[in-house]
Amino acid sequence: MIYVGIDIAKDKHDCFITNSDGEVLHNPFSISNNREGFNDLYNRICSTTEDLTNVKIGLEAIGHYSYNLLGFLIDKGLATFVINPLHTDLYRKSLSLRQTKTDKVDARMIASMLMSDVNLKSYSDTSYHNEELNSLTRYRFDKVKERSKLKTSVSRLVLILFPELEKLVPTLHMTSVYALLSEFPCASKVASAHLTRLSNLLKTASKGHYSKDTAILFREAARTSIGSNMPAKSLELKHTIKLIQELDTEIKEIEAEIKTIMDEINSPILSIPEINYRMGAMIIAEIGDFSRFDSPDKILAYAGLSPSTYQSGQLDNCYSHMEKQGSRYLRYALFNATKYVCIWDSSFNTYLAKKRSEGKHYNVAVSHAAKKLVRVIYQLEKTGQTYIKDA
């Protein structure tokens, strides 16, 4: 076997090539992070063997710096292993207590790690192309989080400019309310607005839900409002609403692209009650290639949903907490999806109730149900079956 260790960096990558006999085939060398450098690496690998199925390549998972090289190696049909930096760090410490770390040493160490056969799973073509879905779901997550912060700002500003409005509507974050505040961003402006203009604005924005009576109600509340007349805050409110509306458009565009990819994947995860395209896509994107995991417990560990274990001598930790060292995106998606599944599926609802009856806090009970959900998802993805909801 031929083993290639690659230490990834922004502008260059350090490589080391050896064989199963420990013979150094290529001393540590650097390649540029461009097409010429990639071809140089490939040619050096080809010079060591005629059978590329005997080649194993290892590199650390350090985000976007490795993405292009990873795609190049997979397209060449080379077995490539993406290794968690935590694993390489632990392996480095197991070899020596000395804190010796250079790029060339790391490349040699990664090759040695491959040779030790530490039960690594090669990075598949499925995993590589799953990156697109992963990128979209994380991008959406960040956009939604950004929008939530802006909505909090709107609530704060309305409390200053027109506090009575909040009690007159189901929520401030409605199209009709945003339309009102965009044109009349404080109580004094609403109070002096022409009734016909105010009525037409609300009727159009609410699609007929709000009538002239609502416009009168809003205007009367504004005339007795304790809201401050602060032009700077009014301008901030208008701009904040505009940003939220722009984010709404962007999020819808992202979600449409996510739906297109999910339709192509045709994952059975969508057959589980209340797991929609958005949540299902995030779970699928974060897990990636299910063949990387030998059991659902490995996925639980990857998500950081496994309980930590501490035992030393007579001391045994009976109140272990979740590790929370895995993918926070996956943990978020599983936890929130579980809440909805527990409402609409009787078997999950019963399981949650059982855990609650044992005295467990709601969130702890949900985490147990999330583990059950992971096992269900794992089985569906492995078999291709659809979920059969209990009556």
Side-chain angles (χ1 to χ4, degrees), residues 147-327:
R147 184 178 63 182
S148 296
K149 289 181 179 179
L150 291 173
K151 286 183 176 181
T152 301
S153 294
V154 167
S155 299
R156 171 180 59 83
L157 292 166
V158 169
L159 192 62
I160 296 170
L161 299 167
F162 189 4
E164 295 79 8
L165 179 62
E166 190 172 17
K167 296 181 180 179
L168 301 177
V169 294
T171 173
L172 291 175
H173 310 293
M174 301 165 55
T175 303
S176 52
V177 175
Y178 279 1
L180 170 70
L181 294 174
S182 293
E183 185 157 343
F184 307 107
C186 65
S188 60
K189 290 187 179 296
V190 175
S192 61
H194 193 282
L195 184 59
T196 302
R197 173 60 190 144
L198 191 60
S199 299
N200 290 337
L201 175 69
L202 290 172
K203 183 177 181 181
T204 302
S206 67
K207 297 181 179 179
H209 182 72
Y210 286 153
S211 61
K212 183 179 179 180
D213 292 338
T214 305
I216 294 173
L217 179 65
F218 283 3
R219 194 170 70 166
E220 290 303 315
R223 287 175 173 175
T224 58
S225 175
I226 60 171
S228 302
N229 185 16
M230 304 174 67
K233 295 294 184 185
S234 295
L235 183 64
E236 183 183 350
L237 178 59
K238 289 175 65 176
H239 286 184
T240 303
I241 290 173
K242 186 177 180 181
L243 287 173
I244 291 173
Q245 292 170 336
E246 290 174 354
L247 281 171
D248 284 339
T249 302
E250 292 174 8
I251 290 169
K252 286 179 181 178
E253 188 176 346
I254 296 167
E255 289 176 350
E257 190 64 27
I258 287 174
K259 185 178 184 302
T260 298
I261 295 175
M262 286 297 288
D263 285 339
E264 292 175 0
I265 294 174
N266 193 27
S267 170
I269 194 174
L270 297 178
S271 64
I272 300 175
E274 290 305 302
I275 293 188
N276 56 26
Y277 280 96
R278 298 186 298 275
M279 204 61 71
M282 181 170 278
I283 294 171
I284 294 297
E286 292 299 323
I287 294 175
D289 188 356
F290 278 78
S291 65
R292 294 188 300 144
F293 303 95
D294 297 328
S295 67
D297 289 340
K298 296 286 182 68
I299 297 179
L300 288 171
Y302 179 68
L305 287 171
S306 296
S308 58
T309 303
Y310 184 86
Q311 190 277 328
S312 179
Q314 300 300 315
L315 179 62
D316 192 356
N317 182 17
C318 300
Y319 302 98
S320 54
H321 301 280
M322 285 192 301
E323 292 177 340
K324 293 187 178 180
Q325 290 186 346
S327 167

